Structures are given as structure tokens and as C-alpha cells.
Amino acid sequence: MTRRVRRKVATKAKVALPCYPEVENEVLGSERNGVVDWTSLPYDSVIQLFSSLNYRDRASLSSTCRTWRGLGASPCLWSSLDIRAHKFDAAMAGTLASRCANLQKLRFRGAESADSIMYLQARNLNEISGDYCRKVTDATLSVIVARHEELQSLQLGPDFCERITGDAIKAIAFCCPKLKKLRLSGIRDVHGDAINALAKHCPDLADIGFLDCLNVDEGALGNVVSVRFLSVAGTSNMKWGVVSHLWHKLPKLTGLDVSRTDIGPSAVSRLLSSTQSLKVLCALNCSVLEEDAGFSLGKSKGKLLLALFTDIFKGLASLFVDSTKNGKNVFLDWRNSKTKDRNMDDIVTWLEWILSHTLLRIAESNPQGMDEFWLKQGAALLLSLMQSSQEDVQERAATGLATFVVIDDDNASIDCGRAEAVMRDGGIHLLLDLAKSWREGLQSESAKAIANLSVNANVAKAVAEEGGINILAGLAKSMNRLVAEEAAGGLWNLSVGEEHKSAIAEAGGVKALVDLIFKWSSGGDGVLERAAGALANLAADDKCSLEVALAGGVRALVFLARNCKFEGVQEQAARALANLAAHGDSNNNNAAVGLEAGALEALVQLTRSPHEGVRQEAAGALWNLSFDDRNRESIASAGGVEALVALAQSCSNASPGLQERAAGALWGLSVSEANSIAIGREGGVPPLIALARSEAEDVHETAAGALWNLAFNPANALRIVEEGGVSALVHLCSSSVSKMARFMAALALAYMFDGRMDEFALTGSSSEGNSKSVNLHDARSAALKKIHDFVRTFSDRHTFSTTTASSAPAALALVTERARIQEAGHLRCSGAEIGRFINMLKNPCTTLKACAAFALLQFTIPGGRHAMHHAGLMQTIGAPRTLRTAAASATAPFEVKTFSRIVLRNLEHHLKEPSI
């Protein structure tokens, strides 16, 4: 039996801020015995240090001493607040309220956070940005804007705000007269009354975005004369005839985004030609426009159209008077320009935002026919936007890179061409630089992009060479769950490559991954799945498997298998335990897993999971664990026989992987005769016979191995005959692509017809009175013929004749090499099994003699994993005498004589046995 090491190539939790006790005693003196007193730093240095930390670390440092506690509350440190990664409820808001009197900018995530914003008492807020706002209601939004009359910017998206209506937009208009920017995503109906209220009460409203809305009153938008930048990207049901006849009258309209809509060429032409103030029209991924091959800008000189069929970088460069701004560095050149133009700055800032949003949306929908765009322009645009000064643009660009390369999320498949385009344009270096940012939003999104891109082996190599493994291992230790989750995903994908496993261990990645499981043991399914998946890949390496065990990985993975209900986590935890248990010959992890409290019971229970992947990995783990004698019996005591028989009975139509592991686990358990008898009584014979008829080579091997073990018991042998197993084994013996499957099928047939079953059949059926009519004579004839044919396939009469005449080592070596079944060297037989083959050498049937000699040859070939063990057993039971008799027999076939001589030579090699 061989251990199978398996590798795999990918619910939001609420995160609580830690509570740190205040340290009352300050350290006195600037230096004591050469130790620097950090509390004596100048105040401005401390403030600068605090400003570069996230809010959690800032709270931690504030608890160091009274002085730093006071400095940590300085108003300049609390002008902006990003609470997306934290549990933010009314209690937490109340705790922060004393520091937020001068808060200007707030970023939040989710409905609970939205409900709690009012408790911050930050009356001077002028920017609010929220995502995951699907459950935010009109009532919540109305309260928020009513409490923050100074609001100048409100953005909710990019996910859909399904519960917000035009009534909430009216409330925004009434409560926020200073509003300059309003961007909302996924509103069902933005009716005319709401838009007219904005036009009337918000005279400074210059930037409007109604994105991915179902219905927007385009006529009312023509009344918002203050608007400079307008986006209706992704919005359906627009009346473009009305738009082209009304919006050109907007006196300040400078930038218009109609991407991902059904706008046609005529409306685009009218808007460009008739809107005097319009400088940029963005129409990316507009199918109606793109289908018109004859479209021309016509009389639109000085106006820029951005579409999939235009050269976007060249178009952006045309906005600038300085002609040196061209190529893929146009945004970077603009940012580094010494001459500043406020109007142009506003345009480019808006362009960065709408491009990042639209490219992400296109990447998410993954429409057909986009390969050329992504390779020639899209990837470079995202990389350019990653260098924006706007944090949300950087984040969205990184998310876009993470998304556009994925073509099949379920199977973690990516487009290699797109991934390598990112690498060629310097994207790996840029992403790793972002991952080193102190801003946690950038850390998580860049780590996500690195993770997805690293599915490609060439990109993974580049990430490793650029120091990415150390960066990801560091991020995996983050107190921010989102950051840790994406970093663990990156390590998971990188750990697929054999060349990266040791580097991950050396970077402290194993310990970080194990710690993640304990840190997020509840409510962090995403991070737990990624951590367990990475540990599973690492555990496939012998050296790294020791690192996993030393870091507490066995206990962590068993904890997941026992307690986690999420199928992805269960699957990866079981796979990791399977791989840990696969190195039983080189370390004691196999036994250690079995000794961990509840491990075997949990794996047995997982074989009953409704999810096939979980069942498959659990069965694989039990298969590997069954190589340890104590584990084998403990699995049976935990109900493993019944569970695995039930699994085998249910997987006739399952994947080959599940079938292989179900049969393999029964094979492993059946090494014990007590378990073998129990498997037969539980009904394990029929499903194993069915699996022996599988078309998959690996399933052939495990099913044949299990039936071989079962056939050792006469009652089971009779069951196999009664259930039609002879024909299945005969077919395997002659037709399987796997030599190993054919070999074990022949051994099973030999066990069944060496005479012991005949004696049992005389006393009664194996089925307790439910005997099935079988013709043992015909079954025996078919079996012996097939065994004979099988053995003959490994012999050559001319070579054997030469060998029989001469026992020269060279001749014996030639026969050995011809007869070798490589995988058979991994099989380990008991003394009873070796004794049975020795007895077969005395059987009057020459076919059984030849089969026995051939089997003993396989078990003793020098270099085999258990050859010394088998040689010792044979010496103990006096096998050499029987072998010599068979080798010297005048009536024995060439095969029996030759194989017996080779086995004797093997015994001499292993044991240096003296002549008898």
C-alpha cells in the first residue's frame, strides 16, 4: 500500500478591537544601562510615529504610559478614521467619541457600522465612504446625513445599495447643503423628485455618480446645473435620445461616464459635438457602440472619447499641453508635474476614480472577447492606477488585478497571459510595495492580487525572488483579519511550488499559519480555509511537515476538523492531516495525529459529510493514518469500518478521487484480520467489487488491494465469489493498465482458490443462510487460467531456460528486472501472509506455485521498502528449505524454478544465510 500525498492549487467575520490594559508606571530616565527610554522621545516624533500606524497599533502604543496616552488622543491623529476591518458598534463608537470631535473623513463597512456612526458625535464630518451597504436602509442613511450637515462627500458602493431609495436621496439634499460629491451604487429607482431636490438644495454639487442603478430620471439630471462630473456607468433603462438633447445644456459638464451601458454611436456623437464644456466621455464596455465598426468621432475635435477600441493612454496624454506626457506613465507624469492646473487636476482625479471602478466591474463580470484589451491596455491601466494618490483608487485597482486574471474561481484557474502581462509591466514590484504600506486596506487588496497571480508558476517565482514570501508571512501575522486572510491565501498558492515550501518555513510562515487558526478559531472561515490549505501543501513536504507539527499544527488542524462547520475548512483540514500522516517512514507525525484527542473520531464523522471534497479528504486521511497499527485499531473503534463501508457503498457514481480514497481506507483497515472480517460482515465486499470495475487506474489499485486483504479470510473469499467478484478480478488481472492492480488481483484470486475457501464452503455460506448459487469449479478454472496468464507476461521462455541451466547472477538479475513490479516494493505483508505463500509452493497446482514464487520475488527484491522485513519473516518460518525444494523440482514449471532461485538469492542478500 502506498501513501498518497495530495496537493491542491483557492463569510465575513466581525473583528473586535483588542482591549489593552493601561500601564501605570512610566520608565524613568532616558537611558538606563544602555537601554533607550522610548517614552522620552520628543512629542513631534511620537506624533509622527503614531500617524504611521493603524488604529489598533495606535491604541496599543497609547497604553504604554500616561504621556503617550495623551499624545495618542491628539486631534491631528483623528482627522480621518478607517473602521472597515473592525467591529464597530454603538459601544465602540461611544469609546472613540471623545477623540472624534474634529473627525473629517470616515470609511466604514456594513450596516452595523452605518447604524453606529451617529454615536461618534463627529458633527464636522465632511467625507463618508462606505462599502458592503446592501442592508443599509433609508432610515439609517437619513439619520447619518441629518447628524452631519457639514457633509461634502458621500460615497456608498461599489456593491449595490438595495434598500436605499430616492427618499433617502431627498433627505441627503435637504440635510447636506454643502454637498459637493455624491456617488451611490445599485439604487433601484433614482426618481425625478430626488434629483430635483439635489439640484435645488445642493448648489455646490459638482460630482454625481449613480452607478449600476436600475432606473435614473435622465431628464431631472439635466436640471443639476452645478454638475461637472457625472457617471451613470452600468445604469440600465436610460433614454439616450433624452440624454443627448438635454445634457448638452449642462453648462459645467466636463466629464461624463456612460461605461457599461447600451448607449449607441449617435448619442455619443451628439454629446461630444454639442456639449460645449465636455472634455472627456468615458464609454468603456458599451456593446452597442463597439459593434458599430464604422463609428467616427466626426466634429469632436478637442474632445476625448475613452472606449475599448481607442488608445486610452494616448488619449489621456492629449489632455495635457506638455507633449512629453505619453505612454503608459501618463498618470505618473501628471502626478510628478511641477506645473499645476487645478481644472486639469480635477479631471484626472475623477478619471482615476471612474476608470478604477469601471475596470473592476468589467473584471468581475468577465465578459467574452476582452483578452486583447486586457493584454494591451487593461493590465497597464490597473498598474498605473495603483500608483494613484487616492487610496480607494489604489485599492480598487489592486482588486481589479486580483479579479481580472481569474477565469474559474471554483477551480482556482487563471489566465496565464494576463498574469504574465502584469509581471512584464512591473506589477509584482508595485503590488509588493503596496503590501508593505501601513494602510490595511491596501495591504489586504494587494495581498489578494499577489495570491491570485501566484497561481501562475512564473509569477510565483517572481514573487519569491522579489521577497514576497517574507512580506506575506509578515502580513499573515496581522491583527486585521482581512489582511491575514489574503496573506494566507498568497502563502497557500505559493506553497503549491515545491521550490517555495522551505522558503515559507524559513520566513516563519508555518508558525504564522498555525497561529491564525487559533487567533480566528471562530467567525473567520475564509482565513481558516486559507491557512489550512497552505498548511496542507506544506505538510506534503517531509521537512516542512515536521515544522507544521512542531508549531502545533496537529492540534490546530484537529481542532478545525472537530469544530468547524464550513465545508472548505473541513476539506483543507482533512487534507492537511492526510499529508501530515503520509510521512510515517521518516517521522512520527502519523502516530501523533492518531494520538491527538478526537482526531480519528472527527475524520470518521467527516466521511459522512454531504460535501464530496470533505468526504474524499477525510477518507484519504484515514487511509494514510491506517498505516500505523494503533491508529488502524482506533479508527475501527471509532466506527471507521461502518463509516467507510457506507462511503464505499455510496460512491459508485462519485469522482475517481473519492472512489480511490474510500477503497484505499478500507484497504488500510483490512490489514488487520479482525477489521477484515468486520468489513465483510458490514457489507464491504459488493461496493469494493463495484469499484474494481472502475475505469480509473488508481481505483483499480486500491479496490484490488482491499479485496486481496479481504480474501485472506475464507468467509470473505466466499463472499467475493458469491457477489461476482471473480469476474471482476479476472478482468482486472488481464486488462488493467496498472501492473500493481493486476498483481494484487492475481494474489486475491490465488488466496480464494488455494483450498481454504473450499473447506469453509462445505460448512455453510458466508452470508448466514442467504447463500447465492455459485459454481466454484468454473470460477476456480477461470481464476487459475488468468493467474497463469498474468505470471507468464513477466516471463520469457528462452531467458528462463537459460537461467534454469545456469544460476549465474547476471542471468538472475536479467529475469528479476523483467519480472519487477516497481510499486510492489511498498507492500508490507504479515507473517501469516508470507506463510500462506510458502504453503502455496507446496500446493499441487503449478499455477498457484508460480504465483506464490512470483509474489515472494516482489516482496524481497533488494531496495524494496519492506524487503528486509519480509526476508526476516521468511527466515523465521523456514522458507528457504521450501524454496530450494521448489527450485530443484524436476516437474515444476520454468517460472516456479526461476522465481524460487531469485527469492533464495534475495534472502542471501538480505540475511547472508548459511547453506542448509
Side-chain angles (χ1 to χ4, degrees):
M1 291 174 285
T2 58
R3 292 179 179 83
R4 301 302 174 97
V5 177
R6 288 167 288 279
R7 303 167 177 82
K8 185 174 182 179
V9 221
T11 305
K12 303 280 181 189
K14 298 176 181 177
V15 185
L17 281 167
C19 183
Y20 297 90
E22 183 176 352
V23 178
E24 295 292 338
N25 297 320
E26 300 182 24
V27 180
L28 302 177
S30 61
E31 290 190 16
R32 183 174 295 172
N33 298 326
V35 177
V36 175
D37 176 11
W38 292 99
T39 62
S40 67
L41 285 172
Y43 287 176
D44 57 346
S45 298
V46 178
I47 292 291
Q48 185 63 35
L49 173 64
F50 272 73
S51 68
S52 298
L53 298 175
N54 60 52
Y55 305 102
R56 184 187 298 100
D57 293 341
R58 201 175 290 174
S60 178
L61 277 185
S62 294
S63 69
T64 305
C65 61
R66 291 193 184 97
T67 301
W68 280 21
R69 182 178 178 84
L71 290 173
S74 300
C76 64
L77 295 174
W78 295 90
S79 61
S80 65
L81 185 63
D82 185 348
I83 55 175
R84 290 176 297 166
H86 309 282
K87 176 181 173 61
F88 186 74
D89 53 17
M92 181 56 64
T95 301
L96 295 175
S98 61
R99 304 182 181 194
C100 294
N102 297 310
L103 187 65
Q104 300 291 305
K105 182 178 179 180
L106 175 68
R107 299 187 74 179
F108 73 92
R109 173 167 289 162
E112 183 180 24
S113 295
D115 291 336
S116 305
I117 290 174
M118 65 192 76
Y119 298 106
L120 284 174
Q121 300 180 19
R123 295 284 184 177
N124 295 319
L125 262 179
N126 58 42
E127 290 187 40
I128 294 178
S129 177
D131 53 26
Y132 292 93
C133 295
R134 290 181 181 274
K135 296 182 179 180
V136 175
T137 64
D138 278 0
T140 297
L141 185 54
S142 297
V143 170
I144 290 174
V145 296
R147 297 292 184 92
H148 303 95
E149 297 177 355
E150 299 295 313
L151 204 61
Q152 296 180 25
S153 174
L154 176 62
Q155 300 183 80
L156 301 179
D159 50 314
F160 295 173
C161 303
E162 296 174 345
R163 299 188 181 183
I164 294 176
T165 71
D167 293 338
I169 297 174
K170 289 175 67 175
I172 294 169
F174 293 143
C175 298
C176 304
K178 297 181 180 180
L179 194 67
K180 296 179 180 179
K181 182 188 299 179
L182 177 65
R183 294 169 178 165
L184 303 174
S185 294
I187 309 296
R188 292 184 181 278
D189 184 18
V190 185
H191 52 70
D193 288 347
I195 297 174
N196 286 329
L198 291 171
K200 180 178 179 181
H201 298 285
C202 302
D204 297 326
L205 185 58
D207 188 335
I208 298 176
F210 292 129
L211 304 106
D212 297 292
C213 298
L214 291 180
N215 184 53
V216 174
D217 190 320
E218 55 280 294
L221 277 174
N223 298 328
V224 188
V225 295
S226 60
V227 69
R228 293 185 62 208
F229 303 104
L230 175 61
S231 176
V232 290
T235 293
S236 54
N237 301 314
M238 296 291 292
K239 301 180 181 65
W240 295 111
V242 175
V243 166
S244 58
H245 286 93
L246 287 178
W247 290 5
H248 75 276
K249 299 177 183 178
L250 291 169
K252 300 180 181 180
L253 185 61
T254 305
L256 176 60
D257 177 22
V258 295
S259 298
R260 300 181 293 110
T261 65
D262 60 355
I263 193 170
S266 58
V268 169
S269 296
R270 283 197 295 269
L271 285 168
L272 286 171
S273 61
S274 59
T275 310
Q276 297 301 314
S277 58
L278 188 64
K279 289 187 175 295
V280 182
L281 175 60
C282 187
L284 294 173
N285 197 212
C286 296
S287 57
V288 177
L289 177 64
E290 292 158 7
E291 288 168 2
D292 188 341
F295 175 75
S296 172
L297 290 179
K299 301 177 180 179
S300 302
K301 189 175 181 180
K303 306 291 179 70
L304 173 61
L305 173 65
L306 300 180
L308 296 184
F309 52 79
T310 65
D311 187 329
I312 295 175
F313 283 107
K314 184 176 180 181
L316 292 171
S318 70
L319 292 172
F320 302 96
V321 175
D322 185 352
S323 61
T324 63
K325 295 180 174 63
N326 52 52
K328 295 180 179 180
N329 295 321
V330 60
F331 282 123
L332 183 61
D333 289 341
W334 162 71
R335 282 187 287 272
N336 295 333
S337 175
K338 295 181 180 179
T339 58
K340 295 297 181 182
D341 180 336
R342 175 63 183 273
N343 185 53
M344 187 56 63
D345 288 353
D346 290 344
I347 293 173
V348 178
T349 299
W350 175 77
L351 274 172
E352 285 187 332
W353 194 93
I354 61 108
L355 283 172
S356 66
H357 184 280
T358 290
L359 291 172
L360 174 57
R361 279 290 191 232
I362 294 173
E364 289 171 340
S365 61
N366 194 26
Q368 296 292 321
M370 292 290 293
D371 283 347
E372 184 178 2
F373 168 76
W374 285 122
L375 293 175
K376 289 187 175 180
Q377 299 193 80
L381 276 169
L382 288 169
L383 291 174
S384 181
L385 294 169
M386 276 172 47
Q387 301 171 73
S388 170
S389 58
Q390 302 177 75
E391 183 181 349
D392 56 345
V393 170
Q394 288 181 301
E395 287 183 21
R396 202 170 288 118
T399 308
L401 285 173
T403 306
F404 95 111
V405 296
V406 178
I407 55 178
D408 184 352
D409 195 40
D410 292 337
N411 295 312
S413 298
I414 69 168
D415 187 298
C416 294
R418 297 179 187 181
E420 295 187 10
V422 174
M423 182 173 64
R424 284 194 302 272
D425 286 338
I428 304 305
H429 182 74
L430 287 173
L431 284 166
L432 290 175
D433 275 351
L434 277 188
K436 291 186 286 187
S437 165
W438 64 271
R439 297 183 182 275
E440 293 176 328
L442 293 177
Q443 290 175 353
S444 64
E445 297 309 318
S446 56
K448 180 191 298 181
I450 293 166
N452 287 358
L453 289 163
S454 294
V455 173
N456 178 274
N458 292 329
V459 175
K461 181 180 179 182
V463 169
E465 290 174 348
E466 296 253 9
I469 288 176
N470 284 301
I471 292 172
L472 290 172
L475 292 179
K477 301 172 186 176
S478 173
M479 292 296 293
N480 183 322
R481 181 186 61 79
L482 298 177
V483 174
E485 180 175 324
E486 300 302 346
L491 293 174
W492 185 5
N493 287 340
L494 283 166
S495 63
V496 171
E498 296 297 324
E499 67 274 25
H500 305 313
K501 289 181 168 63
S502 295
I504 292 172
E506 291 168 5
V510 171
K511 182 67 165 58
L513 291 164
V514 171
D515 288 345
L516 281 181
I517 292 174
F518 294 118
K519 187 184 298 183
W520 305 107
S521 57
S522 60
D525 293 338
V527 68
L528 294 177
E529 180 181 14
R530 288 163 172 77
L535 289 173
N537 286 348
L538 293 168
D541 177 80
D542 188 18
K543 182 178 178 181
C544 288
S545 73
L546 289 172
E547 294 274 354
V548 173
L550 289 172
V554 173
R555 184 163 64 92
L557 293 164
V558 169
F559 172 84
L560 293 181
R562 293 182 64 187
N563 299 291
C564 190
K565 304 304 179 185
F566 181 61
E567 293 168 346
V569 177
Q570 293 174 339
E571 180 178 355
Q572 296 309 320
R575 188 170 69 93
L577 291 171
N579 286 351
L580 277 175
H583 306 284
D585 293 329
S586 56
N587 61 53
N588 63 354
N589 288 348
N590 190 306
V593 173
L595 291 172
E596 187 67 32
L600 301 179
E601 293 82 356
L603 289 167
V604 167
Q605 185 60 38
L606 290 181
T607 64
R608 301 185 176 97
S609 168
H611 187 267
E612 181 172 317
V614 176
R615 298 197 302 274
Q616 176 173 310
E617 299 302 343
L622 292 172
W623 178 11
N624 283 351
L625 288 164
S626 67
F627 281 84
D628 180 87
D629 294 341
R630 185 173 1 182
N631 285 346
R632 189 183 306 123
E633 304 311 318
S634 297
I635 291 169
S637 299
V641 170
E642 298 85 350
L644 289 166
V645 167
L647 181 61
Q649 290 170 337
S650 67
C651 71
S652 58
N653 295 319
S655 67
L658 176 55
Q659 292 178 339
E660 178 200 11
R661 289 159 179 77
L666 287 172
W667 182 12
L669 285 185
S670 64
V671 169
S672 158
E673 187 169 8
N675 289 345
S676 176
I677 293 170
I679 290 169
R681 288 176 176 169
E682 286 294 325
V685 169
L688 285 169
I689 292 173
L691 292 177
R693 294 190 171 99
S694 167
E695 296 181 359
E697 176 182 338
D698 289 340
V699 182
H700 290 173
E701 290 185 6
T702 54
L707 289 170
W708 170 38
N709 281 353
L710 291 176
F712 186 85
N713 176 266
N716 282 338
L718 186 55
R719 287 188 180 96
I720 295 171
V721 176
E722 291 173 343
E723 296 294 340
V726 172
S727 63
L729 289 167
V730 162
H731 179 74
L732 266 190
C733 193
S734 61
S735 304
S736 177
V737 176
S738 166
K739 290 182 180 179
M740 187 70 166
R742 291 160 54 201
F743 176 53
M744 290 186 293
L747 298 186
L749 291 170
Y751 276 175
M752 292 161 62
F753 296 104
D754 68 350
R756 299 192 187 191
M757 183 184 68
D758 297 344
E759 298 172 8
F760 183 83
L762 293 175
T763 64
S765 167
S766 66
S767 306
E768 289 78 30
N770 298 319
S771 178
K772 297 183 179 180
S773 176
V774 293
N775 188 323
L776 289 180
H777 180 270
D778 290 349
R780 176 185 170 88
S781 298
L784 293 178
K785 181 181 184 306
K786 199 53 61 178
I787 294 171
H788 175 76
D789 293 344
F790 168 75
V791 174
R792 289 293 298 272
T793 60
F794 292 91
S795 64
D796 177 87
R797 191 169 186 83
H798 174 72
T799 305
F800 276 30
S801 298
T802 303
T803 307
T804 303
S806 169
S807 296
L812 293 176
L814 177 64
V815 175
T816 300
E817 191 57 37
R818 181 185 297 276
R820 180 194 295 265
I821 299 175
Q822 196 68 41
E823 299 87 347
H826 299 298
L827 296 174
R828 180 185 175 95
C829 297
S830 66
E833 290 173 298
I834 293 295
R836 190 158 181 174
F837 286 117
I838 295 300
N839 284 333
M840 279 188 203
L841 288 173
K842 304 172 185 177
N843 196 293
C845 175
T846 57
T847 296
L848 290 175
K849 285 183 180 181
C851 181
F854 180 75
L856 292 171
L857 182 154
Q858 302 304 321
F859 302 148
T860 59
I861 288 177
R865 182 182 295 174
H866 304 295
M868 282 291 293
H869 165 76
H870 295 145
L873 293 175
M874 293 171 68
Q875 178 72 9
T876 300
I877 63 176
R881 186 181 300 276
T882 303
L883 286 163
R884 286 193 178 90
T885 300
S889 172
T891 58
F894 290 115
E895 292 86 359
V896 175
K897 295 179 181 181
T898 304
F899 292 148
S900 295
R901 289 180 181 180
I902 295 173
V903 175
L904 284 168
R905 186 204 61 176
N906 292 344
L907 292 180
E908 291 173 0
H909 171 84
H910 292 301
L911 304 173
K912 307 299 182 184
E913 180 195 43
S915 298
I916 297 177

